[in-house]
């Protein structure tokens, strides 16, 4: 879980934002996201969001991105996955799993192999629900779609 502390337009790409995300324990990450056509900066600021923190850093149009904000997409609509009751740095688990071992760093290609989706407003990977602090992560508006 990360808390979005700042949102700016990317200096070299009009469709990208550069966010500073507090990931707990004094760690702030820079994340580049393609959310410009879906959200105004003030709609993102202060949100507690799901992030993929074990992605290998990637240079996106001259800015190093240290992770990825997760969002569900369906029929050209997009909704970021938020968890307002969790603290920055809280880890996400698959329902029934409580493995606290940090995940290894992975490539974006390996991440995209995971079949993360939302079904009936519940975030899941191949049918196993994603949880934070024992609670299933739910969307507000999009009931079904692919998480990216």
């Amino acid at each position: 879980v990360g808390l979005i502390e700042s949102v700016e337009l990317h200096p070299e790409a009009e469709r990208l934002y550069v966010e500073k995300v507090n990931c707990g324990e004094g760690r702030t990450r820079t994340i580049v996201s393609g959310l410009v056509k879906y959200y105004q900066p003030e709609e993102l600021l202060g949100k507690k969001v799901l992030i993929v923190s074990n992605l290998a850093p990637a240079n996106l149009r001259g800015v190093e991105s240290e992770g990825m904000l997760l969002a569900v997409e369906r029929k050209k609509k997009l909704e970021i996955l938020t968890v307002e009751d969790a603290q920055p740095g809280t880890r996400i688990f698959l329902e029934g799993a409580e493995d606290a071992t940090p995940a290894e760093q992975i490539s974006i290609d390996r991440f995209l192999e995971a079949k993360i989706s939302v079904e009936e407003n519940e975030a899941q990977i191949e049918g196993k629900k994603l949880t934070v602090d024992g609670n299933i992560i739910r969307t507000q508006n999009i009931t079904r779609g692919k998480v990216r």
Side-chain angles (χ1 to χ4, degrees):
V1 175
L3 172 66
I4 299 176
E5 294 183 329
S6 72
V7 181
E8 297 178 10
L9 284 171
H10 191 293
E12 301 295 326
E14 62 187 38
R15 294 183 182 183
L16 299 176
Y17 284 132
V18 178
E19 297 103 359
K20 295 291 184 188
V21 181
N22 174 343
C23 297
E25 299 180 4
R27 174 80 165 111
T28 299
R29 292 176 182 264
T30 299
I31 296 181
V32 177
S33 68
L35 298 174
V36 170
K37 86 179 202 183
Y38 302 100
Y39 289 93
Q40 294 298 312
E42 59 273 11
E43 293 176 295
L44 296 170
L45 197 59
K47 293 287 186 193
K48 292 179 186 172
V49 296
L50 291 189
I51 63 167
V52 181
S53 60
N54 63 321
L55 281 181
N59 189 310
L60 301 175
R61 305 279 304 262
V63 175
E64 184 174 77
S65 185
E66 303 171 285
M68 180 175 163
L69 272 67
L70 292 182
V72 59
E73 183 177 38
R74 174 95 175 167
K75 296 183 180 179
K76 298 185 181 183
K77 294 189 183 216
L78 193 92
E79 178 181 345
I80 57 172
L81 296 180
T82 61
V83 284
E84 294 304 320
D85 294 336
Q87 294 303 309
T90 303
R91 297 211 31 217
I92 306 302
F93 294 98
L94 286 175
E95 189 174 39
E98 296 187 16
D99 180 9
T101 305
E104 65 186 47
Q105 192 173 70
I106 61 172
S107 69
I108 187 67
D109 292 333
R110 181 150 176 236
F111 170 75
L112 293 174
E113 290 173 4
K115 296 188 179 6
I116 307 174
S117 64
V118 167
E119 298 293 333
E120 297 179 18
N121 295 89
E122 298 176 339
Q124 55 189 283
I125 298 177
E126 297 178 0
K128 294 183 180 180
K129 293 171 179 58
L130 295 175
T131 65
V132 61
D133 294 332
N135 298 310
I136 296 170
I137 296 168
R138 298 179 175 277
T139 55
Q140 297 295 314
N141 301 306
I142 298 178
T143 59
R144 169 173 282 139
K146 182 177 179 179
V147 173
R148 58 181 183 103

